[in-house]
Amino acid sequence: MWNVLLYDLNDNLIMDISRFVEIDLDLKLNENSTLRFDVDLMQFEKLCESVGANPRNIIYPARTEIKVARNNNLLFGGIIAEANTSFGESGAKITVTADSYLQYFEKRLLSKLYTNTDRSQIAWNAIQTVQAQPNGNLGITQGTLATVYKSDLTADLRDVKSIIKLYTYAKPTTYDFEITPDKVFNTYLHLGSYRPEYPLIYPQNIVSVNVPRSADTLYNRIYGIGSGIGEERLQTVKNNATSQLAYRLRENKQTFNSVSEMTTLEHNTEGYLNEHYGVLVTPEVTVTSDAIDLDVVRVGDTLPVKIDGSTFNDDVNGDFRIYGMKIKVDQNGFETITLDFYKPDAGGDIDE
């Protein structure tokens, strides 16, 4: 059973709209997750009238929070970003889009210097610092923080979301993170588990599978640019010789304006290189809830994937980590799940 619940910014429940919506949920690892649904305008206005509420006090961008649960397990929590009304021959509706709580911190800016501080502590302190400002507390609390790696960071009006995400790929020790639907910030050396009990095999239990192969993000020499101007500017270069031999030289420049220490710049540059030196093979698999248990499987988990009978695609046969999970639920409760696997810059990797 699915529940869609609306809250005010003080976490007070204001309405249950579960019976009115079809769910389109896009969950992602180490990135903003989104929820989208349509509400029949006439039905919604009648519901609000029955409880004596102004409809715009129930659904409104930046003022309404929303949580989605399946069998009482919270899968999504966030803030409504858009509520667009449209009128047409088939009637009128409100199309609602909500972002997970992480996205809020893209609009919170921080100026602060961190020296020799664990990356988990930098991320949490950034959240804590901006929440301490007047009218700035979203209610995010500290959960479990992994011990990761000590780094330096100079934040000059830098958005806090980018600070949190920075360490999902910055070598030598990366982390995964989450802000849970009940507003707890956690970091992990590796989020998720290996789930061999849920093998996905085409054509047995996979409805459809797409296997793009792209060199668009293939780079094997990275120039890392740190802080400073002119001769004082920090700069380094990292190469992957094996990739250069296989694909010829492909270069890119990455700017890390807040990095003022050469060691940190080298780690960040190497981390970016390590995510981009190969041709991406990123299968996208669509299944139903008969293939996986949505009460168990989460983003970050690793599943066996196999395509039978195709020598061109036998490089897909192996264990892949879930980067994204798109879930669509119709009003009859039928669930369709599309799984996106390894993506660059997201802290995930193919398990080998």
Side-chain angles (χ1 to χ4, degrees), residues 91-335:
K93 64 181 180 181
I94 309 172
T95 298
V96 177
T97 302
D99 291 318
S100 60
Y101 295 121
L102 173 65
Q103 193 64 16
Y104 169 77
F105 290 99
E106 188 175 62
K107 295 184 178 180
R108 298 303 308 277
L109 304 180
L110 178 71
S111 295
K112 193 166 185 176
L113 173 65
Y114 296 95
T115 304
N116 198 32
T117 305
D118 189 86
R119 292 171 170 182
S120 284
Q121 296 294 335
I122 291 175
W124 167 245
N125 183 263
I127 294 172
Q128 189 178 38
T129 300
V130 297
Q131 285 198 134
Q133 297 176 7
N135 300 314
N137 187 3
L138 190 61
I140 307 300
T141 60
Q142 178 183 338
T144 301
L145 301 181
T147 300
V148 184
Y149 184 82
K150 290 185 177 180
S151 292
D152 302 324
L153 177 67
T154 302
D156 183 10
L157 289 177
R158 181 165 183 169
D159 74 271
V160 172
K161 178 186 174 183
S162 72
I163 294 174
I164 298 169
K165 281 174 51 63
L166 172 64
Y167 301 112
T168 61
Y169 71 86
K171 301 294 183 180
T173 306
T174 62
Y175 69 28
D176 296 322
F177 70 88
E178 65 176 353
I179 299 177
T180 68
D182 52 359
K183 297 187 176 182
V184 179
F185 178 73
N186 299 308
T187 62
Y188 308 85
L189 293 179
H190 183 93
L191 176 61
S193 303
Y194 180 46
R195 303 287 186 185
E197 67 272 28
Y198 297 107
L200 303 180
I201 305 171
Y202 182 83
Q204 295 182 24
N205 62 354
I206 295 178
V207 176
S208 65
V209 56
N210 296 315
V211 187
R213 291 175 176 81
S214 174
D216 285 348
T217 58
L218 171 59
Y219 306 110
N220 45 39
R221 174 180 289 168
I222 305 297
Y223 295 91
I225 309 299
S227 63
I229 300 174
E231 294 182 357
E232 297 182 356
R233 184 180 72 177
L234 291 181
Q235 181 171 327
T236 189
V237 59
K238 296 294 181 180
N239 293 277
N240 186 295
T242 302
S243 175
Q244 291 173 9
L245 181 63
Y247 303 116
R248 299 297 182 263
L249 189 62
R250 292 170 177 260
E251 300 172 300
N252 191 15
K253 178 181 72 175
Q254 286 296 305
T255 302
F256 305 95
N257 290 322
S258 63
V259 174
S260 58
E261 297 290 334
M262 179 57 75
T263 300
T264 303
L265 179 62
E266 290 180 346
H267 288 160
N268 288 359
T269 306
E270 183 180 3
Y272 189 87
L273 173 65
N274 288 343
E275 299 290 353
H276 292 84
Y277 66 78
V279 171
L280 288 178
V281 182
T282 54
E284 181 185 78
V285 172
T286 299
V287 299
T288 68
S289 55
D290 293 333
I292 61 173
D293 186 348
L294 287 176
D295 291 333
V296 176
V297 177
R298 295 286 188 270
V299 293
D301 287 345
T302 300
L303 308 178
V305 179
K306 184 178 181 181
I307 299 176
D308 278 341
S310 174
T311 55
F312 186 79
N313 292 289
D314 59 10
D315 56 342
V316 174
N317 299 340
D319 296 332
F320 283 80
R321 193 177 186 208
I322 301 171
Y323 164 77
M325 181 183 293
K326 301 182 182 72
I327 305 169
K328 292 189 177 183
V329 187
D330 65 21
Q331 289 191 328
N332 296 317
F334 183 78
E335 301 164 342

Side-chain angles (χ1 to χ4, degrees), residues 15-119:
M15 187 170 287
D16 182 342
I17 59 170
S18 306
R19 66 184 186 274
F20 297 110
V21 303
E22 295 185 351
I23 296 169
D24 190 346
L25 189 57
D26 189 358
L27 304 175
K28 291 184 178 178
L29 176 67
N30 298 329
E31 185 48 277
N32 177 46
S33 298
T34 58
L35 169 70
R36 184 185 180 280
F37 60 88
D38 294 333
V39 178
D40 182 275
L41 179 62
M42 184 175 296
Q43 284 186 329
F44 178 64
E45 289 178 338
K46 286 182 177 179
L47 175 62
C48 292
E49 183 180 356
S50 70
V51 296
N54 184 316
R56 291 193 304 278
N57 289 335
I58 304 299
I59 290 179
Y60 207 77
R63 282 207 315 248
T64 306
E65 296 190 18
I66 188 164
K67 299 183 190 294
V68 177
R70 182 183 188 270
N71 296 330
N72 296 319
N73 296 315
L74 283 172
L75 296 184
F76 176 87
I79 304 171
I80 290 178
E82 296 182 1
N84 303 324
T85 305
S86 59
F87 297 85
E89 293 180 355
S90 59
K93 64 181 180 181
I94 309 172
T95 298
V96 177
T97 302
D99 291 318
S100 60
Y101 295 121
L102 173 65
Q103 193 64 16
Y104 169 77
F105 290 99
E106 188 175 62
K107 295 184 178 180
R108 298 303 308 277
L109 304 180
L110 178 71
S111 295
K112 193 166 185 176
L113 173 65
Y114 296 95
T115 304
N116 198 32
T117 305
D118 189 86
R119 292 171 170 182

